[in-house]
């Protein structure tokens, strides 16, 4: 049992906290990572209290210097975190008072841990969103560079994982770029709602001191205030929204991973991920496993789980703050750590992967990937599309039996299926012809891919 007197809130208690309950309810083990933002919030709060005359200049200075020293102590690993002091907020405040005496006891004037923790999380998440946006951008730059290098590389595009039509590898990479573009938009949009200040809401109803919230918000770089104190201390929708956005990032990386895994198999053999990003097997000497994308595919499930955890955490809570909300941190932190790590390793890995142009090209030449082009050719010659479809289907059937792709058939062979077919058909059946023909915005023609690269570069520069 702790002595009831060592808790900042122990005044009304006559018994100390049960030792197990103390450990069970403490959050310092994981919320200490908020220390920098907790200190920044306290500094701004102290300056505001000084401005409105609640703290003297001397007291304010003592608080700010004391907090700066504590920050150094924490960063040097010399700060003794105490479970008895529950969380990061009370740990820092108690140590500050140990160090500077009475002025430390005044810091919590007009404030509660309820608005303090909500403020800390928002400040922390704001920084982390900025880091994620930078990593996302690094991956996007890598994709655009790769797309530029491989504009003219042709691979089979798939639907149902069956060969569909030839496409530019650059076009394929830009598909991933587009998904990440929306992911970045979502993060930026979410940041707008994260960057509003709860501080000043105190426990739930506001405070009797003549606080200047706008001033504190300005010091902390908030774009605005949370305008209802009950809402400000209780809702965690901003964190749920962030984890939702993060889980879409992971979903995209997971799909991308799935392709990288398939492509690096001996059966596809389209790419080589590089030894640095793979591991071997302890029993099978020939193995080189694509662990990084596999792990990221796995982590996507975990992050989706965090979204479910958070939205469920919130859904039954009455206003205002409830201790349930302490459970917001671990899923949020784990999401941030894993998304950051996944983006980093992808941004490192993608530009280094080896693209096996010849293998891709050979694969595109198999599987009748230009069958649609032949049908379109017939349409141009006046055959209705449905008939053209039927004619080409028969030609494909013949090709399967003969072990020949369409471009490998002679003119005489092709003419058996339609007399409108002429010598000019072969231009249409080449991979380059097929790809270049899809020449409109969003299409795979190299000219379009180059234009898309220009647009992407402009966006990344902005
Ligand atoms: N550790 C708490 C949390 O993470 C801080 C707020 C505690 N407030 C309270 N009234 N017990 O939510």
């Amino acid at each position: 049992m702790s002595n009831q007197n060592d808790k900042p809130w122990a005044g009304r208690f006559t018994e100390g906290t049960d030792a197990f309950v103390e450990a069970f309810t403490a959050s310092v083990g994981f919320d200490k990572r908020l220390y920098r933002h907790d200190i920044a919030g306290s500094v701004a709060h102290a300056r505001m209290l000084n401005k409105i005359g609640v703290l003297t200049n001397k007291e304010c200075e003592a608080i700010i210097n004391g907090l700066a020293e504590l920050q150094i102590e924490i960063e040097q690993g010399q700060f003794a975190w105490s479970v008895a002091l529950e969380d990061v907020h009370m740990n820092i405040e108690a140590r500050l008072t140990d160090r500077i005496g009475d002025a430390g006891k005044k810091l919590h004037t007009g404030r509660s841990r309820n608005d303090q923790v909500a403020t800390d999380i928002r400040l922390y998440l704001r920084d982390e969103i900025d880091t994620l946006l930078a990593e996302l951008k690094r991956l996007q730059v890598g994709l655009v560079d790769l797309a530029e290098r491989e504009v003219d590389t042709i691979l089979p595009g798939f639907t149902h994982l069956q060969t569909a039509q030839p496409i530019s590898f650059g076009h394929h990479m830009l598909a991933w770029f587009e998904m990440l573009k929306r992911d970045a938009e979502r993060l930026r949009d979410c940041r707008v709602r994260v960057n509003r200040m709860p501080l000043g809401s105190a426990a739930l109803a506001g405070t009797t001191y003549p606080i200047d919230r706008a001033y504190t918000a300005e010091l902390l770089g908030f774009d605005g205030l949370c305008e209802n104190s009950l809402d400000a201390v209780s809702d965690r929708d901003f964190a749920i929204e962030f984890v939702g956005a993060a889980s879409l990032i992971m979903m995209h990386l997971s799909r991308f991973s799935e392709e990288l895994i398939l492509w690096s198999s001996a059966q596809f053999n389209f790419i080589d991920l590089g030894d640095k990003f793979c591991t071997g097997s302890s029993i099978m000497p020939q193995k080189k496993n694509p662990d990084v994308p596999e792990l990221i595919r796995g982590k996507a499930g975990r992050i989706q789980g965090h979204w479910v955890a958070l939205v469920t955490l919130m859904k039954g809570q009455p206003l205002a703050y409830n201790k349930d909300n302490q459970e917001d941190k671990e899923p949020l932190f784990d999401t941030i750590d894993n998304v950051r790590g996944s983006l980093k390793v992808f941004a490192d890995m993608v530009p280094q992967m080896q693209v096996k142009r010849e293998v891709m090209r050979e694969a595109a030449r198999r599987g009748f990937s230009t069958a649609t082009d032949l049908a379109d050719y017939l349409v141009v010659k006046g055959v209705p599309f449905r008939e053209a479809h039927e004619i080409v289907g028969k030609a494909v059937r013949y090709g399967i039996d003969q072990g020949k792709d369409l471009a490998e058939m002679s003119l005489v062979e092709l003419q058996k299926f339609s007399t409108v077919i002429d010598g000019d058909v072969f231009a249409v059946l080449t991979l380059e012809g097929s790809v270049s023909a899809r020449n409109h915005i969003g299409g795979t023609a190299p000219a379009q891919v180059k234009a898309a690269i220009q647009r992407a570069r402009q966006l990344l520069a902005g």
Side-chain angles (χ1 to χ4, degrees):
M1 293 256 184
S2 320
N3 177 334
Q4 69 271 24
N5 293 327
D6 60 13
K7 309 271 190 217
W9 42 250
R12 60 99 67 217
F13 286 75
T14 50
E15 256 190 311
T17 316
D18 175 270
F20 180 76
V21 169
E22 181 172 279
F24 187 73
T25 53
S27 56
V28 66
F30 49 85
D31 68 15
K32 64 183 174 201
R33 77 155 78 188
L34 296 173
Y35 77 88
R36 238 173 355 101
H37 302 91
D38 193 72
I39 288 174
S42 289
V43 167
H45 183 64
R47 285 195 201 283
M48 186 278 290
L49 290 178
N50 176 226
K51 181 170 182 262
I52 64 168
V54 170
L55 290 178
T56 64
N57 290 347
K58 235 178 113 188
E59 287 165 336
C60 181
E61 205 176 299
I63 287 171
I64 291 172
N65 292 337
L67 287 170
E69 284 170 25
L70 288 183
Q71 178 154 343
I72 293 169
E73 238 178 67
I74 293 169
E75 282 166 3
Q76 291 177 343
Q78 279 155 8
F79 188 94
W81 296 102
S82 152
V83 170
L85 289 168
E86 253 181 76
D87 54 29
V88 62
H89 324 292
M90 293 207 301
N91 265 266
I92 290 177
E93 192 193 325
R95 291 283 177 268
L96 179 70
T97 302
D98 288 349
R99 181 161 304 209
I100 68 169
D102 283 351
K105 292 188 190 160
K106 296 190 176 177
L107 172 61
H108 212 52
T109 312
R111 177 176 87 169
S112 152
R113 275 185 298 154
N114 296 352
D115 60 344
Q116 192 179 354
V117 68
T119 302
D120 290 5
I121 303 171
R122 285 171 183 263
L123 286 173
Y124 172 79
L125 183 53
R126 184 180 75 185
D127 279 357
E128 291 294 338
I129 287 175
D130 291 341
T131 306
L132 292 181
L133 281 168
E135 283 296 51
L136 253 178
K137 187 168 188 163
R138 201 161 69 82
L139 173 54
Q140 286 181 297
V141 169
L143 283 169
V144 175
D145 289 345
L146 186 58
E148 189 156 56
R149 238 176 19 243
E150 307 292 341
V151 170
D152 296 315
T153 301
I154 294 178
L155 79 162
F158 298 93
T159 60
H160 313 270
L161 203 58
Q162 308 289 319
T163 297
Q165 291 169 355
I167 54 172
S168 149
F169 187 79
H171 192 55
H172 197 118
M173 289 302 106
L174 291 183
W176 294 117
F177 175 88
E178 286 293 308
M179 292 178 235
L180 297 174
K181 185 170 101 184
R182 293 192 297 278
D183 288 332
E185 282 170 13
R186 264 186 288 272
L187 282 183
R188 277 193 289 268
D189 195 43
C190 168
R191 192 189 190 282
V192 171
R193 281 174 290 284
V194 168
N195 202 24
R196 291 178 191 147
M197 190 185 78
L199 202 60
S201 304
L204 77 163
T207 175
T208 55
Y209 299 92
I211 55 173
D212 184 346
R213 295 187 70 202
Y215 178 66
T216 319
E218 192 192 312
L219 292 178
L220 290 171
F222 279 111
D223 289 331
L225 303 178
C226 299
E227 292 187 359
N228 179 289
S229 60
L230 295 168
D231 171 47
V233 295
S234 66
D235 203 1
R236 295 291 182 265
D237 61 351
F238 65 91
I240 299 171
E241 182 179 350
F242 166 78
V243 175
S247 103
L248 289 177
I249 295 174
M250 291 304 290
M251 177 198 75
H252 288 147
L253 293 186
S254 178
R255 295 188 66 195
F256 197 172
S257 291
E258 175 63 11
E259 292 204 329
L260 297 180
I261 293 162
L262 282 172
W263 289 353
S264 54
S265 69
Q267 287 65 30
F268 272 86
N269 193 30
F270 283 4
I271 57 164
D272 190 318
L273 279 178
D275 289 0
K276 275 201 255 176
F277 300 100
C278 296
T279 62
S281 155
S282 54
I283 174 170
M284 296 167 282
Q286 84 283 12
K287 295 281 291 232
K288 177 168 149 184
N289 296 327
D291 289 44
V292 167
E294 287 175 61
L295 192 58
I296 288 171
R297 192 176 55 186
K299 283 181 186 295
R302 168 170 165 178
I303 306 307
Q304 279 159 31
H306 289 332
W307 184 84
V308 174
L310 288 180
V311 82
T312 310
L313 164 71
M314 206 69 242
K315 72 178 270 297
Q317 288 190 48
L319 289 174
Y321 176 87
N322 301 279
K323 183 78 165 179
D324 313 38
N325 276 345
Q326 182 165 293
E327 285 288 304
D328 64 354
K329 288 169 203 61
E330 287 161 293
L332 178 65
F333 295 164
D334 190 69
T335 299
I336 291 168
D337 292 345
N338 281 289
V339 176
R340 198 202 305 109
S342 301
L343 284 171
K344 179 196 163 14
V345 72
F346 247 77
D348 292 343
M349 179 176 69
V350 163
Q352 293 188 44
M353 73 184 181
Q354 187 204 336
V355 176
K356 300 188 178 174
R357 295 175 182 156
E358 277 314 307
V359 180
M360 288 187 186
R361 188 178 177 81
E362 208 34 48
R365 275 163 34 79
R366 314 261 143 241
F368 306 96
S369 67
T370 55
T372 315
D373 299 272
L374 181 55
D376 290 341
Y377 168 90
L378 294 171
V379 169
V380 171
K381 302 260 172 182
V383 182
F385 183 78
R386 271 293 148 234
E387 260 176 54
H389 188 288
E390 170 84 16
I391 291 167
V392 179
K394 292 207 165 108
V396 166
R397 181 68 254 167
Y398 171 80
I400 293 169
D401 294 340
Q402 300 291 311
K404 277 187 188 172
D405 205 83
L406 295 171
E408 293 165 341
M409 295 179 194
S410 68
L411 186 56
V412 176
E413 276 175 307
L414 286 168
Q415 282 172 336
K416 278 195 286 191
F417 302 100
S418 169
T419 50
V420 306
I421 296 179
D422 232 330
D424 59 351
V425 72
F426 292 106
V428 163
L429 296 180
T430 64
L431 296 178
E432 274 73 17
S434 168
V435 170
S436 309
R438 287 161 172 79
N439 192 14
H440 52 77
I441 193 157
T444 193
Q448 293 298 334
V449 178
K450 283 177 193 156
I453 288 167
Q454 288 323 307
R455 293 195 298 273
R457 291 227 188 271
Q458 243 164 34
L459 186 84
L460 291 171

